[in-house]
Amino acid sequence: MDGKSGIFLFCAGVAWIAVGYKLVALARNPRNLNLWVLTLCIALPAAGFTMAVPAVYSAVNRFFGVPNLASLLVYGCIVGYSITALVMLMLWHMPAAEALPRARVLAVFYGLVLVAMAVLFAFSGATVEAPSDFDDVYGPRPVGGTFLLVYVSAFAFGLGVAAWRSLQFANRVARTDGRPWLRRGLRLVAAGSIVALGYCLGKGGYVVAAWLGTRLPALSDLGTLCACLGALVITTGFTIPSWGPSLSAAAEKVRRARTYLRLYPLWHAMYQVMPEIALDPPASRRADLRMLRDLDFALYRRVIEIRDGRLALAPYLAPDDEPSPPAGTGGRTSAAAAAREAVRIRDALARLRATHPEEPAAAHPERRAADEDADLAADLEFLGRVSSTLRRLPPAPTVGSSPDSPPGATVDSSPDAPVRD
């Protein structure tokens, strides 16, 4: 198997996987016209790449008893893809009642192109099998070259309109819609279409150059690479609106799991001094990891328990000399603010331990900030930075029983201490 065959098989495999993915969706929703068109839009290039593999190419020719018929079928599939893509974009962009009449016009255009290609192929004299180099062998001939030019011209028309429509629709989605993966998919379709236009330029340029007496096989090969790369990008673009949100959900779950683990040092330092803040304390760090099975609840409880601990520490916190930044400025999540808060919490825990080593701390709801529930994401980021900083701090120095009192006792608020029962 040569390199070109391997590329064709890879592109065909990716496309057929996407077709299978869409067929599963069709089984659940067989009346969805958009799904049918999208599945056909992916299946056509998948069939084209499959038949372009030399072994399959030869088998198709033997089955029908017509030399090089697979070239006509491959190119018919590719042009069919570009027309179907336009129909798909219209169905996404406008109501079906408005899109279907335009789709019929495109279907007539496609039929005329197929007829022209079939007539030119019949008179091209392509009687000698050329499974790997049909374009190179028959492109320099007048009729064979015209066949190729009709094909790449129709394909280029479809690609150009698809790129324009995709960008137009993507901009509209960006202004009016809350579906970022649809916007990204449309932009990928546009980008893939532009890349695939290099195929049309390469093949067309090869034919024209051959007619002028110059053979440029590298130009034809470059065009083939553009077609393969463009097809992969376009297939991704058409399918990513359906599986992209799952990526976002997975990424969000990973982010929340990291946040939960990142908060452990801060929570553990408070729990060592104030075990009453924990609703259901884990017996060990390993047991704490098992809480990830119910991540949303575990993260919510962790934040609440840290906030409760922070409220209970309010009388023992040294004053923050830095003024609070205005709401919405993001200053609360700065590294400097987190570092100051970590030091204040470390020292407050030491003061609490020194003052009431056996008594639970009382909460002080009047010290609770009004905006603590306003932006959970910002709060998680800030608490995460505080926790990371606290983990790196040395043990608290000898402190007094209050922020303004003489030195008292020392407490080790390190998060590496064993969990207190």
Side-chain angles (χ1 to χ4, degrees), residues 4 6 30 44 46 74 99 101 106 124 126 135 142 158 179 192 226 265 280 335-336 363 384 405:
K4 186 181 293 188
L44 284 171
V74 169
L106 288 173
S124 65
D135 300 346
R179 293 175 290 177
C226 288
D280 185 19
S405 65

mmCIF file of all heavy atoms in Angstrom, residues 4 6 30 44 46 74 99 101 106 124 126 135 142 158 179 192 226 265 280 335-336 363 384 405:
data_model
loop_
_atom_site.group_PDB
_atom_site.id
_atom_site.type_symbol
_atom_site.label_atom_id
_atom_site.label_comp_id
_atom_site.label_asym_id
_atom_site.label_seq_id
_atom_site.Cartn_x
_atom_site.Cartn_y
_atom_site.Cartn_z
ATOM 1 N N LYS A 4 -0.486 7.354 -0.650
ATOM 2 C CA LYS A 4 -1.767 7.935 -1.058
ATOM 3 C C LYS A 4 -2.924 7.023 -0.662
ATOM 4 O O LYS A 4 -3.964 7.486 -0.183
ATOM 5 C CB LYS A 4 -1.768 8.185 -2.560
ATOM 6 C CG LYS A 4 -2.997 8.930 -3.054
ATOM 7 C CD LYS A 4 -2.962 9.137 -4.557
ATOM 8 C CE LYS A 4 -1.862 10.075 -4.981
ATOM 9 N NZ LYS A 4 -1.958 10.410 -6.433
ATOM 10 N N GLY A 6 -2.963 4.942 1.825
ATOM 11 C CA GLY A 6 -3.117 5.041 3.273
ATOM 12 C C GLY A 6 -3.886 6.288 3.681
ATOM 13 O O GLY A 6 -4.737 6.242 4.577
ATOM 14 N N PRO A 30 -35.763 9.263 13.288
ATOM 15 C CA PRO A 30 -35.751 9.002 11.843
ATOM 16 C C PRO A 30 -36.477 10.047 11.001
ATOM 17 O O PRO A 30 -36.328 10.065 9.789
ATOM 18 C CB PRO A 30 -36.432 7.631 11.732
ATOM 19 C CG PRO A 30 -37.287 7.532 12.949
ATOM 20 C CD PRO A 30 -36.564 8.274 14.023
ATOM 21 N N LEU A 44 -21.199 10.700 1.342
ATOM 22 C CA LEU A 44 -20.732 10.849 -0.038
ATOM 23 C C LEU A 44 -19.201 10.929 -0.126
ATOM 24 O O LEU A 44 -18.594 10.172 -0.891
ATOM 25 C CB LEU A 44 -21.392 12.066 -0.680
ATOM 26 C CG LEU A 44 -22.856 11.868 -1.095
ATOM 27 C CD1 LEU A 44 -23.479 13.191 -1.519
ATOM 28 C CD2 LEU A 44 -22.960 10.844 -2.225
ATOM 29 N N ALA A 46 -17.164 9.903 2.115
ATOM 30 C CA ALA A 46 -16.670 8.623 2.644
ATOM 31 C C ALA A 46 -16.645 7.581 1.540
ATOM 32 O O ALA A 46 -15.661 6.831 1.392
ATOM 33 C CB ALA A 46 -17.559 8.168 3.803
ATOM 34 N N VAL A 74 -16.314 8.348 -8.093
ATOM 35 C CA VAL A 74 -15.641 9.111 -7.034
ATOM 36 C C VAL A 74 -15.916 10.596 -7.201
ATOM 37 O O VAL A 74 -16.317 11.294 -6.254
ATOM 38 C CB VAL A 74 -14.121 8.837 -7.042
ATOM 39 C CG1 VAL A 74 -13.389 9.826 -6.146
ATOM 40 C CG2 VAL A 74 -13.838 7.420 -6.585
ATOM 41 N N ALA A 99 -35.903 26.595 2.351
ATOM 42 C CA ALA A 99 -34.685 25.943 1.886
ATOM 43 C C ALA A 99 -34.950 24.895 0.804
ATOM 44 O O ALA A 99 -34.136 24.731 -0.120
ATOM 45 C CB ALA A 99 -33.965 25.295 3.068
ATOM 46 N N PRO A 101 -37.119 24.599 -1.819
ATOM 47 C CA PRO A 101 -37.123 25.018 -3.230
ATOM 48 C C PRO A 101 -35.725 25.315 -3.768
ATOM 49 O O PRO A 101 -35.403 24.983 -4.919
ATOM 50 C CB PRO A 101 -38.004 26.272 -3.216
ATOM 51 C CG PRO A 101 -38.881 26.106 -2.021
ATOM 52 C CD PRO A 101 -38.025 25.425 -1.008
ATOM 53 N N LEU A 106 -30.536 23.285 -6.709
ATOM 54 C CA LEU A 106 -29.194 22.710 -6.605
ATOM 55 C C LEU A 106 -29.180 21.266 -7.104
ATOM 56 O O LEU A 106 -28.197 20.823 -7.713
ATOM 57 C CB LEU A 106 -28.712 22.773 -5.153
ATOM 58 C CG LEU A 106 -28.353 24.171 -4.625
ATOM 59 C CD1 LEU A 106 -28.057 24.107 -3.129
ATOM 60 C CD2 LEU A 106 -27.150 24.732 -5.378
ATOM 61 N N SER A 124 -13.869 10.047 -23.339
ATOM 62 C CA SER A 124 -12.491 10.378 -22.956
ATOM 63 C C SER A 124 -11.485 9.344 -23.450
ATOM 64 O O SER A 124 -10.276 9.593 -23.435
ATOM 65 C CB SER A 124 -12.390 10.496 -21.439
ATOM 66 O OG SER A 124 -12.642 9.243 -20.812
ATOM 67 N N ALA A 126 -10.829 6.576 -21.904
ATOM 68 C CA ALA A 126 -10.140 6.034 -20.725
ATOM 69 C C ALA A 126 -10.370 4.531 -20.645
ATOM 70 O O ALA A 126 -11.107 4.036 -19.786
ATOM 71 C CB ALA A 126 -10.632 6.735 -19.465
ATOM 72 N N ASP A 135 -5.902 10.984 -13.207
ATOM 73 C CA ASP A 135 -5.766 12.398 -13.589
ATOM 74 C C ASP A 135 -4.483 12.641 -14.370
ATOM 75 O O ASP A 135 -4.467 13.406 -15.347
ATOM 76 C CB ASP A 135 -5.787 13.285 -12.344
ATOM 77 C CG ASP A 135 -7.074 13.135 -11.553
ATOM 78 O OD1 ASP A 135 -8.038 12.565 -12.098
ATOM 79 O OD2 ASP A 135 -7.118 13.599 -10.390
ATOM 80 N N PRO A 142 -7.474 16.194 -24.387
ATOM 81 C CA PRO A 142 -8.505 17.238 -24.502
ATOM 82 C C PRO A 142 -9.810 16.874 -23.799
ATOM 83 O O PRO A 142 -10.328 17.651 -22.986
ATOM 84 C CB PRO A 142 -8.693 17.382 -26.018
ATOM 85 C CG PRO A 142 -7.389 16.952 -26.596
ATOM 86 C CD PRO A 142 -6.895 15.854 -25.707
ATOM 87 N N GLY A 158 -19.297 24.674 -5.314
ATOM 88 C CA GLY A 158 -19.915 24.234 -4.071
ATOM 89 C C GLY A 158 -19.100 24.607 -2.851
ATOM 90 O O GLY A 158 -19.633 25.050 -1.834
ATOM 91 N N ARG A 179 -25.026 28.892 21.147
ATOM 92 C CA ARG A 179 -24.457 27.572 20.864
ATOM 93 C C ARG A 179 -23.044 27.730 20.319
ATOM 94 O O ARG A 179 -22.843 27.789 19.095
ATOM 95 C CB ARG A 179 -25.338 26.828 19.861
ATOM 96 C CG ARG A 179 -26.707 26.462 20.403
ATOM 97 C CD ARG A 179 -27.580 25.840 19.333
ATOM 98 N NE ARG A 179 -27.984 26.827 18.326
ATOM 99 C CZ ARG A 179 -28.708 26.525 17.254
ATOM 100 N NH1 ARG A 179 -29.076 25.271 17.035
ATOM 101 N NH2 ARG A 179 -29.049 27.475 16.388
ATOM 102 N N GLY A 192 -12.303 24.286 6.232
ATOM 103 C CA GLY A 192 -12.064 23.089 5.439
ATOM 104 C C GLY A 192 -12.405 23.284 3.975
ATOM 105 O O GLY A 192 -11.713 22.767 3.085
ATOM 106 N N CYS A 226 -4.635 18.587 -0.232
ATOM 107 C CA CYS A 226 -5.600 19.612 0.190
ATOM 108 C C CYS A 226 -6.995 19.012 0.326
ATOM 109 O O CYS A 226 -7.739 19.349 1.252
ATOM 110 C CB CYS A 226 -5.618 20.761 -0.806
ATOM 111 S SG CYS A 226 -4.154 21.822 -0.779
ATOM 112 N N PRO A 265 -6.456 21.482 51.096
ATOM 113 C CA PRO A 265 -5.587 22.019 52.163
ATOM 114 C C PRO A 265 -6.271 23.074 53.022
ATOM 115 O O PRO A 265 -6.115 23.081 54.250
ATOM 116 C CB PRO A 265 -4.401 22.606 51.385
ATOM 117 C CG PRO A 265 -4.368 21.835 50.112
ATOM 118 C CD PRO A 265 -5.800 21.592 49.768
ATOM 119 N N ASP A 280 -20.146 15.623 56.900
ATOM 120 C CA ASP A 280 -19.818 14.196 56.858
ATOM 121 C C ASP A 280 -18.327 14.075 56.551
ATOM 122 O O ASP A 280 -17.932 13.800 55.425
ATOM 123 C CB ASP A 280 -20.648 13.495 55.791
ATOM 124 C CG ASP A 280 -20.431 11.988 55.780
ATOM 125 O OD1 ASP A 280 -19.943 11.471 56.806
ATOM 126 O OD2 ASP A 280 -20.741 11.347 54.748
ATOM 127 N N ALA A 335 -3.503 37.113 42.977
ATOM 128 C CA ALA A 335 -2.583 36.296 43.778
ATOM 129 C C ALA A 335 -2.216 36.995 45.077
ATOM 130 O O ALA A 335 -2.082 36.351 46.127
ATOM 131 C CB ALA A 335 -1.336 35.992 42.948
ATOM 132 N N ALA A 336 -2.055 38.334 45.018
ATOM 133 C CA ALA A 336 -1.682 39.074 46.225
ATOM 134 C C ALA A 336 -2.789 39.004 47.269
ATOM 135 O O ALA A 336 -2.533 38.790 48.465
ATOM 136 C CB ALA A 336 -1.367 40.521 45.871
ATOM 137 N N ALA A 363 -19.878 30.751 64.827
ATOM 138 C CA ALA A 363 -19.924 31.507 63.570
ATOM 139 C C ALA A 363 -20.372 32.927 63.839
ATOM 140 O O ALA A 363 -21.054 33.216 64.821
ATOM 141 C CB ALA A 363 -20.880 30.839 62.599
ATOM 142 N N GLY A 384 -9.482 28.661 45.847
ATOM 143 C CA GLY A 384 -8.446 27.763 45.358
ATOM 144 C C GLY A 384 -7.063 28.363 45.500
ATOM 145 O O GLY A 384 -6.113 27.679 45.884
ATOM 146 N N SER A 405 -3.421 41.022 70.624
ATOM 147 C CA SER A 405 -2.910 40.634 71.936
ATOM 148 C C SER A 405 -1.458 40.200 71.842
ATOM 149 O O SER A 405 -0.944 39.925 70.749
ATOM 150 C CB SER A 405 -3.758 39.492 72.498
ATOM 151 O OG SER A 405 -3.610 38.350 71.691
#
